[in-house]
């Protein structure tokens, strides 16, 4: 049958190809180094996991890459990943700074 949201996350987040990617993205975000963050994200083999997407959205927020954040969110939706508070928090931060809460 269809996967539950939790099953979907567990399958994608346990993929060994994604090991270390989230950590690399988070470190780059702390340094406000967008190039390093997006490079780590794009180096993922296959579809990035929900955790990878949440990390890059956080990095986009930290690095003030507003349009990139919304494009990445669209990619996450296209990948069929479930959304969580970790998905929406950086997007809401960005929208508030842009004063575009209708997105």
């Amino acid at each position: 049958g269809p996967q539950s949201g939790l099953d979907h996350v567990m399958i994608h987040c346990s993929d060994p190809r994604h090991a270390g990617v989230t950590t690399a993205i988070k470190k780059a975000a702390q340094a406000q180094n967008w190039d390093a963050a997006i490079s780590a994200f794009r180096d993922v083999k296959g579809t990035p996991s929900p955790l990878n997407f949440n990390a890059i959205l956080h990095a986009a927020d930290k690095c003030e890459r507003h349009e990139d954040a919304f494009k990445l969110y669209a990619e996450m939706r296209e990948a069929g990943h479930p959304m969580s508070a970790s998905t929406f928090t950086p997007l809401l931060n960005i929208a508030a700074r842009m004063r575009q809460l209708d997105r």
Side-chain angles (χ1 to χ4, degrees):
Q3 288 179 357
S4 72
L6 180 59
D7 288 341
H8 181 89
V9 170
M10 293 305 292
I11 289 165
H12 282 276
C13 294
S14 63
D15 187 329
R17 296 174 300 178
H18 302 169
V21 172
T22 298
T23 301
I25 295 169
K26 286 180 179 179
K27 283 184 180 175
Q30 282 184 320
Q32 294 187 335
N33 183 343
W34 176 250
D35 291 339
I38 196 67
S39 177
F41 180 78
R42 293 296 180 209
D43 284 346
V44 169
K45 305 293 182 242
T47 304
S49 75
L51 292 178
N52 298 154
F53 272 105
N54 289 339
I56 198 64
L57 290 172
H58 172 74
D61 179 19
K62 291 279 286 184
C63 298
E64 298 187 7
R65 301 296 295 229
H66 304 155
E67 291 304 318
D68 290 317
F70 289 103
K71 289 176 187 168
L72 288 159
Y73 171 67
E75 278 184 47
M76 184 178 187
R77 291 190 53 164
E78 286 171 25
H81 293 322
M83 307 299 137
S84 68
S86 296
T87 307
F88 292 116
T89 299
L91 296 173
L92 287 170
N93 290 341
I94 290 166
R97 275 199 299 281
M98 295 173 69
R99 290 179 171 76
Q100 294 182 359
L101 289 174
D102 58 344
R103 280 190 110 137

